[in-house]
């Protein structure tokens, strides 16, 4: 990987971290923690699903994470479970 | 380098409910409005306000605005300005109906009227029976209000600068605010937004404290911008804490957990609240429980490997009761702590929640500063919401009044700005010297070399604020806190960035946020040290009583010479009689 590509990967990571800044502390912790620890292990398709997840509203995400509702999109629903499981106490 | 410039009638900094309500008022009056937000607007912290919005609609129980006014003044421990409070409580019902017409889906009663729930601190007939005053859109009221206001603003053609960070206000030699220098987070490029009027609506500063309930974006940026522009901050010693936050994370575990029979223990398994409040025990008032937890930890009776929390026990209630009565709390505990509350105790610590102090404004949202006799507005500058201090919350805020605050004073500021724009039709010229200071601030972080990290120093600051300016305050502790914050301020000069790239350099944004937090921390600890009484959320162990004779006044902290000044509380309402200070009994 050359320097230019490295910069791009780092910028991509920072962009994602900024998108994970939400209006609620719970979401900040869940999403930012996941990007820091687990995002790089996702497949290309899973990364696209994560991008899609970030477009959901804060309230919907909160309800998915705290099991008050389930996403219709199965890929999103599975990712929500992975994110919940990735939390370190 | 040529600095890019854009011109608007009004620049709104912050896209929470306060900023968007003002922007909507202006855009609907055909003003050219720009809203700058460091995150996508609907990710502002207003979405976290789930409880509801107060208005004396009397849909469920008898009610009127005058009772609401009394409750708010009493809740403020008589530090709230009674003219602003009357204005807010009178406006509340119309504003809620207006929100409903704009599309907020309030929950309904069977007869079709807006449903209202009872909240703590609400009474009928000036301190009588419980009132039911809080209108809610299920448990997503803040979210519904924010999304509705955002959509209405898009329709009214408000111009949004998403993911732009505001660096500093631009002020000319005569002290008129001419807009702000902002920066695109995506490209790192600065942009000068020239505006006839600028409104700060950047929210609170919960990130001052290690344990807090606030989103990470709540770094008090507008408060620090005001300080740097020579404007004092008002009543910063008043910060609302909840006794039971999830230790190390901050999320709130509501009083319901103790209300259902939960109790606190230290590392010896002792129910220590019996020592601090023999009668009320675990159900003592928030400040008593918070202080008791702090003392247990400080005196070495905290739990866990570092001894830095106490335990909340709800396991004796049994899984069935917990799942039925406290489902959301239990799920939050399971998710963030990996603890099963039906089996094990829950680590908790007091958590910071709401900034009552802020940028001093009048009830039109104009930022005001003291002059020899009275005060005068800063031309072209407004502030609303949690970053402002109007002051309707005084020394403590009632539940359901923060959403009301942002829509009432967002609209009021919008209306006043419309009048200002009519009288000030043209942009004032901006000289290079007016922009120099802000540009120097921007390029400060270009410096290279070795030094300390932003995250490290922010962590230190938050821990210092929690320990020395949190729920346990004495002269000695606050004095130590002041010295430690001053030391952090000096070490800020040694902070360097290792990443100097332009594109999505979030490390640079976090450095600006840290600078802001340090300025606000100084204002907070200095104000807390100076106020020698206990009132509302400011609780001094060495001055346990409220002292109306000496302290029925607002604090003002100035950054330039770290000076404290004071101004009287506005005890005269607009039309009704004053509610004179009385002892607060609930």
């Amino acid at each position: 990987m050359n320097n230019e590509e490295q910069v791009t990967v780092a910028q991509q990571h920072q962009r994602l971290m900024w998108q994970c800044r939400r209006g609620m502390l719970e979401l900040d912790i869940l999403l930012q923690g996941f990007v820091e620890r687990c995002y790089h292990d996702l497949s290309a398709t899973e990364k696209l699903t994560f991008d899609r997840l970030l477009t959901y509203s804060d309230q919907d995400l909160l309800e998915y994470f705290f099991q008050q509702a389930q996403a219709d999109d199965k890929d999103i629903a599975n990712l929500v479970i992975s994110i919940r499981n990735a939390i370190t106490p | 380098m040529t600095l890019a410039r854009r011109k608007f009638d009004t620049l709104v900094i912050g896209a929470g409910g306060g900023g968007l309500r003002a922007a909507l008022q202006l855009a609907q009056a055909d003003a050219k409005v720009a809203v700058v937000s460091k995150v996508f607007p609907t990710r502002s912290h207003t979405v976290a306000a789930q409880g509801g919005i107060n208005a004396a609609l009397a849909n469920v129980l008898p009610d009127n605005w005058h009772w609401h006014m009394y409750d708010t003044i009493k809740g403020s421990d008589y530090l709230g300005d009674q003219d602003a409070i009357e204005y807010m409580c009178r406006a509340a019902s119309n504003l809620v109906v207006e929100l409903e017409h704009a599309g907020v889906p309030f929950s309904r009663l069977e007869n079709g009227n807006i449903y209202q729930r009872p909240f703590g601190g609400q009474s009928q007939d000036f301190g009588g029976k419980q009132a039911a005053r809080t209108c809610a859109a299920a448990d997503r009221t803040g979210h519904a209000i924010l999304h509705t206001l955002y959509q209405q603003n898009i329709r009214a053609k408000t111009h949004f600068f998403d993911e732009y960070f505001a660096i500093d206000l631009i002020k000319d030699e005569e002290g008129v605010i001419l807009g702000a220098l902002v920066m695109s987070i995506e490209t790192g490029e600065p942009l000068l937004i020239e505006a006839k009027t600028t409104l700060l609506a950047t929210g609170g500063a919960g990130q001052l404290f290690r344990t807090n309930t606030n989103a990470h974006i709540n770094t008090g940026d507008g408060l620090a911008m005001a300080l740097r522009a020579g404007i004092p901050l008002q009543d910063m010693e008043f910060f609302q804490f909840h006794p039971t936050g999830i230790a190390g994370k901050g999320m709130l575990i509501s009083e319901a957990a103790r209300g259902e029979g939960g109790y606190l223990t230290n590392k010896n398994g002792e129910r220590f609240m019996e020592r601090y409040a023999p009668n009320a025990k675990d159900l003592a008032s928030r400040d008593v429980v918070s202080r008791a937890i702090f003392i247990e930890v400080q005196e070495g009776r905290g739990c866990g490997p570092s001894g830095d929390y106490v335990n909340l026990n709800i396991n004796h209630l049994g899984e069935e009761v917990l799942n039925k009565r406290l489902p959301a709390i239990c799920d939050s505990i399971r998710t963030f702590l990996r603890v099963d509350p039906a089996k094990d105790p829950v680590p908790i610590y007091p958590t910071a929640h709401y900034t009552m102090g802020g940028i001093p404004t009048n009830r039109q949202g104009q930022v005001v500063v003291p002059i020899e006799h009275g005060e005068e507005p800063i031309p072209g500058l407004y502030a609303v919401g949690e970053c402002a201090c109007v002051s309707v919350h005084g020394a403590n805020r009632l539940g359901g009044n923060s959403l009301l605050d942002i829509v009432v004073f967002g609209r009021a500021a919008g209306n006043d700005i419309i009048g200002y724009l009519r009288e000030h039709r043209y942009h004032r010229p901006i000289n290079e010297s007016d922009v120099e200071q802000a540009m120097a601030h921007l390029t400060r972080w270009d410096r290279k070399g070795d030094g300390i990290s932003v995250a490290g120093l922010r962590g230190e600051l938050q821990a210092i604020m929690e320990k020395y300016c949190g729920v346990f305050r004495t002269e000695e502790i606050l004095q130590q806190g002041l010295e430690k914050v001053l030391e952090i301020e000096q070490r800020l000069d040694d902070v360097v960035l290792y990443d100097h790239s332009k594109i999505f350099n979030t490390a640079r944004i976090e450095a600006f946020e840290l600078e802001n937090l340090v300025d606000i921390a100084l204002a907070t600890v200095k104000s807390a040290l100076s106020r020698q009484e206990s009132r509302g959320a400011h609780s001094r162990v060495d001055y346990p009583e409220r002292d109306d004779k000496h302290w029925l006044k607002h604090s003002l902290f100035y950054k330039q010479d770290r000076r404290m000044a004071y101004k009287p509380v506005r005890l005269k309402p607009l039309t009704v009689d004053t509610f004179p200070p009385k002892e607060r009994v609930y």
Side-chain angles (χ1 to χ4, degrees), chain B residues 40-192:
Chain B
F40 189 74
T42 53
R43 296 176 191 166
S44 302
H45 195 50
T46 301
V47 294
Q50 295 180 323
I53 178 167
N54 291 340
L57 296 172
N59 286 352
V60 172
L61 291 171
D63 207 354
N64 71 55
W65 66 265
H66 203 187
W67 300 347
H68 182 191
M69 178 183 172
Y70 167 80
D71 291 337
T72 302
I73 292 168
K74 181 181 170 190
S76 82
D77 219 350
Y78 298 90
L79 195 75
D81 286 332
Q82 298 196 11
D83 56 344
I85 294 173
E86 178 179 345
Y87 180 81
M88 177 177 82
C89 297
R90 274 182 178 273
S93 296
N94 282 342
L95 265 288
V96 165
V97 171
E98 207 176 271
L99 284 172
E100 186 198 24
H101 291 172
V104 176
F106 283 108
S107 303
R108 301 274 162 193
L109 294 164
E110 272 186 16
N111 64 9
N113 286 339
I114 292 174
Y115 162 77
Q116 297 189 280
R117 58 168 69 126
F119 255 33
Q122 298 176 352
S123 74
Q124 299 178 48
D125 205 16
F126 310 108
K129 284 188 286 188
Q130 174 73 43
R133 190 173 291 143
T134 307
C135 313
D139 57 358
R140 42 165 70 204
T141 315
H143 168 93
I145 290 175
L146 190 66
H147 278 251
T148 301
L149 289 173
Y150 179 64
Q151 285 155 8
Q152 295 282 347
N153 267 286
I154 293 290
R155 189 167 81 167
K157 299 198 167 37
T158 297
H159 189 100
F160 282 91
F161 289 90
D162 297 341
E163 296 185 338
Y164 275 71
F165 187 81
I167 305 290
D168 262 322
L169 295 168
I170 304 298
K171 186 169 76 168
D172 71 12
E173 280 179 349
E174 290 173 41
V176 181
I177 302 297
L178 306 175
L181 183 70
V182 305
M183 184 179 89
S184 158
I185 295 170
E186 185 182 358
T187 66
E189 293 299 327
L191 170 68
L192 179 62

Side-chain angles (χ1 to χ4, degrees), chain B residues 264-281:
Chain B
L264 302 172
T265 51
N266 60 21
K267 76 171 182 187
N268 304 321
E270 182 202 2
R271 290 182 67 164
F272 59 85
M273 281 312 301
E274 292 176 353
R275 270 188 282 121
Y276 296 90
N279 294 322
K281 295 178 190 156

Side-chain angles (χ1 to χ4, degrees), chain A residues 14 18 21 23 28 54 84, chain B residues 38 45 216 338 504 513:
Chain A
Q14 287 180 324
W18 197 258
R21 277 207 182 202
D28 285 342
L54 292 179
R84 261 180 74 104
Chain B
K38 65 179 177 179
H45 195 50
H216 289 167
R338 289 288 147 75
F504 260 107
E513 291 176 336

Side-chain angles (χ1 to χ4, degrees), chain B residues 314-342:
Chain B
I314 47 177
N315 43 359
H316 60 291
L317 299 175
E319 192 156 4
E320 201 183 318
V321 173
L322 288 176
N323 287 339
K324 194 170 154 201
R325 302 226 189 109
L326 305 168
I329 290 171
C330 289
D331 200 39
S332 186
I333 292 165
R334 283 187 201 108
T335 305
F336 289 109
L337 291 171
R338 289 288 147 75
V339 162
D340 182 352

Side-chain angles (χ1 to χ4, degrees), chain A residues 24-42:
Chain A
M24 299 173 185
L25 177 64
E26 290 83 350
L27 299 181
D28 285 342
I29 292 176
L30 284 160
L31 295 170
Q32 289 171 8
F34 186 77
V35 169
E36 279 193 329
R37 286 189 303 275
C38 309
Y39 182 79
H40 58 272
D41 293 331
L42 297 183

